[in-house]
């Protein structure tokens, strides 16, 4: 019994870290640009590891073999699509123009197996609650819909309002869940003592009382306490 638990634990550890390494190798697009093929590939990879771990007739080396072979196939497809542009429509798919000049393209919806209710749901995800607001709509390969609003309903940008250009700075996280983020302090060239003084000046006893604190150049602090 103890031996079985040991082997199961060992296989779980190996399977876990093998999947972790494979995820790093395959890159972030497995999540951020999840196409139907990527989704199925991820499911199959997880299923292969799960079956290899819980099947008593399959040893540890089969777990690694399943992860490496399937991961290699996925990685090869990714390399092909990066190097050969003509292969992308076949392996990744192509975006579809499902709304053109305010008109829904029925044939494109039909070709992509998308009904009107699903389309309306995807538009609401983008903050569009009526077809009349949309000039163009594109169904991306990951299933999301991106829209270009009709000109009278589109949002103005700073250039339209003739607002002078200003430098843009990313906010830097300094405290999260009561813990000081040392990397954030290094980014803004500040010491921890400076941060503690800033908290004290605002009547905050210390970092442990802060849920989140960020600093943005030109804007200063945004602090939320527990």
């Amino acid at each position: 019994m103890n031996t079985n638990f040991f082997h199961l634990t060992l296989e779980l550890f190996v399977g876990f870290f093998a999947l972790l390494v494979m995820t790093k190798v395959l890159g972030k697009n497995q999540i951020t640009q999840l196409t139907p093929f990527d989704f199925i590939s991820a499911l199959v990879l997880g299923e292969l590891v799960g079956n290899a771990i819980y099947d008593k007739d399959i040893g540890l080396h089969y777990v690694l073999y399943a992860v490496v072979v399937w991961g290699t196939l996925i990685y090869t497809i990714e390399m092909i699509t990066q190097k050969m542009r003509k292969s992308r429509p076949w392996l990744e798919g192509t975006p579809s123009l499902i709304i053109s000049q305010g008109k829904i393209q029925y044939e494109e919806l039909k070709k992509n197996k998308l009904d009107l209710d699903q389309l309306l749901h995807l538009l609401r995800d983008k903050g569009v609650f009526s077809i009349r607001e949309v000039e163009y709509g594109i169904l991306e390969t990951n299933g999301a819909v991106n829209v270009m609003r009709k000109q009278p309903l589109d949002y103005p940008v700073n250039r339209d309002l003739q607002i002078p250009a200003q430098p843009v700075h990313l906010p830097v996280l300094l405290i999260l869940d009561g813990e000081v983020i040392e990397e954030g302090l290094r980014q803004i060239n500040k010491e921890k003592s400076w941060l503690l003084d800033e908290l004290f000046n605002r009547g905050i006893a210390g970092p442990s009382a802060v849920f989140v604190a960020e600093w943005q150049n030109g804007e200063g602090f945004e602090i939320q306490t527990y």
Side-chain angles (χ1 to χ4, degrees):
M1 180 65 70
N2 291 335
T3 302
N4 291 336
F5 275 110
F6 172 77
H7 284 298
L8 177 58
T9 302
L10 182 60
E11 290 176 350
L12 285 172
F13 267 94
V14 172
F16 174 81
F17 285 105
L19 285 177
L20 181 63
V21 171
M22 195 58 61
T23 302
K24 296 295 184 181
V25 171
L26 294 177
K28 296 180 179 179
N29 68 314
Q30 287 295 101
I31 299 298
T32 57
Q33 299 173 358
L34 196 64
T35 64
F37 176 76
D38 295 328
F39 177 72
I40 295 173
S41 297
L43 288 180
V44 172
L45 183 58
E47 186 70 15
L48 287 173
V49 174
N51 289 338
I53 288 175
Y54 291 107
D55 192 330
K56 296 180 180 180
D57 298 328
I58 296 179
L60 183 61
H61 55 288
Y62 284 103
V63 178
L64 293 176
Y65 181 78
V67 172
V68 171
V69 171
W70 191 257
T72 301
L73 290 173
I74 299 175
Y75 183 78
T76 301
I77 295 298
E78 294 293 340
M79 289 298 99
I80 291 175
T81 55
Q82 288 184 21
K83 302 295 183 181
M84 301 174 60
R85 185 174 179 273
K86 292 183 179 180
S87 69
R88 295 173 190 171
W90 297 97
L91 298 176
E92 293 184 344
T94 55
S96 298
L97 187 66
I98 56 176
I99 301 176
S100 178
Q101 296 181 338
K103 302 295 183 182
I104 298 175
Q105 305 301 298
Y106 175 75
E107 292 299 327
E108 288 297 320
L109 288 183
K110 184 178 179 181
K111 184 173 70 174
N112 288 279
K113 308 297 189 294
L114 191 70
D115 61 43
L116 188 57
D117 286 335
Q118 292 171 323
L119 174 60
L120 294 176
H121 171 76
L122 293 171
L123 290 177
R124 288 194 294 269
D125 280 344
K126 296 297 182 180
V128 176
F129 289 84
S130 175
I131 294 293
R132 74 185 69 186
E133 300 178 31
V134 182
E135 185 71 18
Y136 292 99
I138 297 176
L139 179 66
E140 305 292 355
T141 55
N142 64 354
V145 170
N146 288 316
V147 301
M148 178 182 290
R149 294 172 183 264
K150 292 182 178 179
Q151 195 275 333
L153 300 172
D154 201 5
Y155 300 114
V157 297
N158 289 340
R159 182 177 58 187
D160 298 331
L161 301 176
Q162 298 183 346
I163 297 176
Q166 298 290 337
V168 178
H169 303 280
L170 284 173
V172 179
L173 197 62
L174 299 182
I175 300 176
L176 183 64
D177 289 330
E179 295 185 6
V180 176
I181 309 299
E182 299 289 347
E183 182 181 353
L185 288 173
R186 287 194 293 270
Q187 288 183 29
I188 61 175
N189 296 318
K190 297 291 185 180
E191 300 292 335
K192 187 175 180 179
S193 57
W194 167 82
L195 177 59
L196 297 177
D197 289 340
E198 292 290 339
L199 294 177
F200 179 78
N201 292 337
R202 289 166 172 76
I204 302 173
S208 60
V210 179
F211 179 53
V212 61
E214 67 178 25
W215 168 269
Q216 186 171 11
N217 191 18
E219 299 292 336
F221 273 106
E222 168 65 24
I223 301 176
Q224 294 187 16
T225 61
Y226 289 102

